[in-house]
Amino acid sequence: MTQSSWYKINNLDDGVSRILEAHVAADWRCNIWHIRGRDRDLIIDTGLGLRPIAKDVAMLAERPVIALCTHSHHDHAGGLCQFETRLGHAAEAEIFANPTREATVANLLEAQSIRQLPCDGFDFADWCYQPAPLTGTVDNGDVIDLGDRVFEIFHFPGHSPGSIALWEAASGIIFTGDALYDGTIYDHLYHSVPDQLCESLRRLRQMPVSRVHAGHFTSFGRHRMQTVIDEYLAGQRSMLCPGQTGGL
C-alpha cells in the first residue's frame, strides 16, 4: 500500500497541508496538520497511525519533524509513536505512555469506520495504539518555533484534561484539536468536563482568530467560529443533548 492509497494530502493557501487517512470514515478520521518551517516541520495530531505516516508521506522526511498531539484520543495520537520528538500536555502524559482502549476511547471505534484494512490480520476490536511516551510537555504560553513561524500553546481543557490548541499570532490561524470543530462536540467522554469546555470556548471566542483549522471536518473563519461556539454554549451542539449526532 502506498501513500497515494492510504493518505490524501491537501495543500492549503496558508503554508499548511491537511493529511487525511483516506480509508477511515470522514466522520471519524481526524485532520493531520503539517506545517513546513524553515528549520523544522510541525505535525499537529497523527491520526490513527494504522500506516507508517512518517514513511508513507515522503515530504515528512525533508527536515526534522516535531509531532504534537492536541490530546491523547486514539484518532489523534495513534501515530505519535512513529516520531522521535513527541509533545503533548502533561495532564495526559500517562495515557500517551501507557495507552489502553478505554483511556484512549478506542473502544468507541466501530468496524465500519475502517473501510480498508491497513494490513492482513488487522482486528479493530483489539486495536490500541502503541505507547508513545512524551519527549517533552507543553502548557499554556509555551511556544513552538519552526525558525520562521512561531506557534503559542493554549490549554483548552474540557473535551479532555490536556486538550491544547496552537495559535499563530502573525497569521491569525489556530489549530483547535477537538476543543472546537464544526460538528457536534464530544463532551460526554469519561474525562470530559463540559463546564471547563464552556470556559475554554469563551476564551477562544475572544481571540483575534482569522481561521480555524480544527481537529475534524473543514476549516472555517472567525464568524463561523463564533457561531459554532455560541451554538454550543446554547446547548445545540453537545453530545449530552438528546438528538445530537456528529463526529468524534
PDB file of all heavy atoms in Angstrom, residues 185-197:
ATOM      1  N   ILE A 185     -20.096  18.499  19.365  1.00  0.00           N
ATOM      2  CA  ILE A 185     -18.890  18.418  20.196  1.00  0.00           C
ATOM      3  C   ILE A 185     -18.991  17.244  21.177  1.00  0.00           C
ATOM      4  O   ILE A 185     -19.976  17.099  21.898  1.00  0.00           O
ATOM      5  CB  ILE A 185     -18.689  19.734  20.979  1.00  0.00           C
ATOM      6  CG1 ILE A 185     -18.662  20.932  20.015  1.00  0.00           C
ATOM      7  CG2 ILE A 185     -17.404  19.662  21.798  1.00  0.00           C
ATOM      8  CD1 ILE A 185     -17.541  20.922  19.017  1.00  0.00           C
ATOM      9  N   TYR A 186     -17.940  16.421  21.189  1.00  0.00           N
ATOM     10  CA  TYR A 186     -17.903  15.297  22.122  1.00  0.00           C
ATOM     11  C   TYR A 186     -17.499  15.804  23.506  1.00  0.00           C
ATOM     12  O   TYR A 186     -16.328  16.014  23.802  1.00  0.00           O
ATOM     13  CB  TYR A 186     -16.915  14.245  21.623  1.00  0.00           C
ATOM     14  CG  TYR A 186     -17.551  13.195  20.731  1.00  0.00           C
ATOM     15  CD1 TYR A 186     -18.368  13.567  19.671  1.00  0.00           C
ATOM     16  CD2 TYR A 186     -17.335  11.841  20.959  1.00  0.00           C
ATOM     17  CE1 TYR A 186     -18.953  12.619  18.857  1.00  0.00           C
ATOM     18  CE2 TYR A 186     -17.923  10.880  20.147  1.00  0.00           C
ATOM     19  CZ  TYR A 186     -18.732  11.271  19.098  1.00  0.00           C
ATOM     20  OH  TYR A 186     -19.314  10.321  18.297  1.00  0.00           O
ATOM     21  N   ASP A 187     -18.505  15.963  24.351  1.00  0.00           N
ATOM     22  CA  ASP A 187     -18.296  16.440  25.719  1.00  0.00           C
ATOM     23  C   ASP A 187     -18.826  15.445  26.740  1.00  0.00           C
ATOM     24  O   ASP A 187     -19.030  15.783  27.909  1.00  0.00           O
ATOM     25  CB  ASP A 187     -18.957  17.802  25.919  1.00  0.00           C
ATOM     26  CG  ASP A 187     -20.444  17.792  25.554  1.00  0.00           C
ATOM     27  OD1 ASP A 187     -20.981  16.726  25.153  1.00  0.00           O
ATOM     28  OD2 ASP A 187     -21.084  18.863  25.659  1.00  0.00           O
ATOM     29  N   HIS A 188     -19.025  14.193  26.282  1.00  0.00           N
ATOM     30  CA  HIS A 188     -19.640  13.178  27.132  1.00  0.00           C
ATOM     31  C   HIS A 188     -18.687  12.032  27.471  1.00  0.00           C
ATOM     32  O   HIS A 188     -19.110  11.041  28.061  1.00  0.00           O
ATOM     33  CB  HIS A 188     -20.857  12.588  26.409  1.00  0.00           C
ATOM     34  CG  HIS A 188     -20.498  11.787  25.187  1.00  0.00           C
ATOM     35  ND1 HIS A 188     -19.718  12.296  24.172  1.00  0.00           N
ATOM     36  CD2 HIS A 188     -20.781  10.499  24.845  1.00  0.00           C
ATOM     37  CE1 HIS A 188     -19.557  11.360  23.244  1.00  0.00           C
ATOM     38  NE2 HIS A 188     -20.183  10.273  23.632  1.00  0.00           N
ATOM     39  N   LEU A 189     -17.430  12.170  27.113  1.00  0.00           N
ATOM     40  CA  LEU A 189     -16.473  11.094  27.341  1.00  0.00           C
ATOM     41  C   LEU A 189     -16.097  11.000  28.822  1.00  0.00           C
ATOM     42  O   LEU A 189     -16.414  11.887  29.615  1.00  0.00           O
ATOM     43  CB  LEU A 189     -15.233  11.322  26.475  1.00  0.00           C
ATOM     44  CG  LEU A 189     -15.529  11.419  24.965  1.00  0.00           C
ATOM     45  CD1 LEU A 189     -14.273  11.813  24.196  1.00  0.00           C
ATOM     46  CD2 LEU A 189     -16.095  10.109  24.427  1.00  0.00           C
ATOM     47  N   TYR A 190     -15.381   9.936  29.186  1.00  0.00           N
ATOM     48  CA  TYR A 190     -15.164   9.647  30.606  1.00  0.00           C
ATOM     49  C   TYR A 190     -14.396  10.742  31.329  1.00  0.00           C
ATOM     50  O   TYR A 190     -14.566  10.932  32.533  1.00  0.00           O
ATOM     51  CB  TYR A 190     -14.439   8.305  30.768  1.00  0.00           C
ATOM     52  CG  TYR A 190     -12.965   8.345  30.428  1.00  0.00           C
ATOM     53  CD1 TYR A 190     -11.999   8.477  31.431  1.00  0.00           C
ATOM     54  CD2 TYR A 190     -12.517   8.265  29.110  1.00  0.00           C
ATOM     55  CE1 TYR A 190     -10.644   8.520  31.126  1.00  0.00           C
ATOM     56  CE2 TYR A 190     -11.172   8.299  28.801  1.00  0.00           C
ATOM     57  CZ  TYR A 190     -10.237   8.436  29.806  1.00  0.00           C
ATOM     58  OH  TYR A 190      -8.900   8.491  29.500  1.00  0.00           O
ATOM     59  N   HIS A 191     -13.540  11.503  30.617  1.00  0.00           N
ATOM     60  CA  HIS A 191     -12.810  12.589  31.284  1.00  0.00           C
ATOM     61  C   HIS A 191     -13.156  13.956  30.707  1.00  0.00           C
ATOM     62  O   HIS A 191     -12.401  14.912  30.899  1.00  0.00           O
ATOM     63  CB  HIS A 191     -11.302  12.337  31.261  1.00  0.00           C
ATOM     64  CG  HIS A 191     -10.706  12.115  29.901  1.00  0.00           C
ATOM     65  ND1 HIS A 191      -9.378  11.807  29.711  1.00  0.00           N
ATOM     66  CD2 HIS A 191     -11.249  12.177  28.652  1.00  0.00           C
ATOM     67  CE1 HIS A 191      -9.124  11.670  28.428  1.00  0.00           C
ATOM     68  NE2 HIS A 191     -10.237  11.906  27.765  1.00  0.00           N
ATOM     69  N   SER A 192     -14.278  14.040  30.021  1.00  0.00           N
ATOM     70  CA  SER A 192     -14.768  15.349  29.564  1.00  0.00           C
ATOM     71  C   SER A 192     -15.408  16.104  30.721  1.00  0.00           C
ATOM     72  O   SER A 192     -16.059  15.503  31.589  1.00  0.00           O
ATOM     73  CB  SER A 192     -15.811  15.176  28.451  1.00  0.00           C
ATOM     74  OG  SER A 192     -15.278  14.524  27.321  1.00  0.00           O
ATOM     75  N   VAL A 193     -15.218  17.425  30.718  1.00  0.00           N
ATOM     76  CA  VAL A 193     -15.835  18.286  31.739  1.00  0.00           C
ATOM     77  C   VAL A 193     -16.489  19.445  30.996  1.00  0.00           C
ATOM     78  O   VAL A 193     -15.806  20.421  30.636  1.00  0.00           O
ATOM     79  CB  VAL A 193     -14.805  18.794  32.761  1.00  0.00           C
ATOM     80  CG1 VAL A 193     -15.495  19.654  33.821  1.00  0.00           C
ATOM     81  CG2 VAL A 193     -14.054  17.633  33.405  1.00  0.00           C
ATOM     82  N   PRO A 194     -17.795  19.373  30.729  1.00  0.00           N
ATOM     83  CA  PRO A 194     -18.461  20.397  29.919  1.00  0.00           C
ATOM     84  C   PRO A 194     -18.286  21.822  30.441  1.00  0.00           C
ATOM     85  O   PRO A 194     -18.140  22.754  29.649  1.00  0.00           O
ATOM     86  CB  PRO A 194     -19.929  19.957  29.931  1.00  0.00           C
ATOM     87  CG  PRO A 194     -19.855  18.473  30.104  1.00  0.00           C
ATOM     88  CD  PRO A 194     -18.701  18.239  31.027  1.00  0.00           C
ATOM     89  N   ASP A 195     -18.295  21.999  31.757  1.00  0.00           N
ATOM     90  CA  ASP A 195     -18.131  23.351  32.292  1.00  0.00           C
ATOM     91  C   ASP A 195     -16.759  23.918  31.932  1.00  0.00           C
ATOM     92  O   ASP A 195     -16.622  25.102  31.617  1.00  0.00           O
ATOM     93  CB  ASP A 195     -18.315  23.350  33.812  1.00  0.00           C
ATOM     94  CG  ASP A 195     -19.777  23.178  34.230  1.00  0.00           C
ATOM     95  OD1 ASP A 195     -20.657  23.316  33.354  1.00  0.00           O
ATOM     96  OD2 ASP A 195     -20.017  22.896  35.412  1.00  0.00           O
ATOM     97  N   GLN A 196     -15.734  23.072  31.978  1.00  0.00           N
ATOM     98  CA  GLN A 196     -14.405  23.515  31.569  1.00  0.00           C
ATOM     99  C   GLN A 196     -14.378  23.844  30.083  1.00  0.00           C
ATOM    100  O   GLN A 196     -13.738  24.823  29.665  1.00  0.00           O
ATOM    101  CB  GLN A 196     -13.366  22.430  31.864  1.00  0.00           C
ATOM    102  CG  GLN A 196     -13.016  22.269  33.322  1.00  0.00           C
ATOM    103  CD  GLN A 196     -11.885  21.270  33.523  1.00  0.00           C
ATOM    104  OE1 GLN A 196     -11.550  20.505  32.619  1.00  0.00           O
ATOM    105  NE2 GLN A 196     -11.290  21.283  34.703  1.00  0.00           N
ATOM    106  N   LEU A 197     -15.052  23.024  29.278  1.00  0.00           N
ATOM    107  CA  LEU A 197     -15.085  23.274  27.843  1.00  0.00           C
ATOM    108  C   LEU A 197     -15.766  24.604  27.546  1.00  0.00           C
ATOM    109  O   LEU A 197     -15.306  25.369  26.693  1.00  0.00           O
ATOM    110  CB  LEU A 197     -15.793  22.129  27.124  1.00  0.00           C
ATOM    111  CG  LEU A 197     -15.872  22.239  25.609  1.00  0.00           C
ATOM    112  CD1 LEU A 197     -14.498  22.398  24.981  1.00  0.00           C
ATOM    113  CD2 LEU A 197     -16.587  21.015  25.022  1.00  0.00           C
TER     114      LEU A 197
END
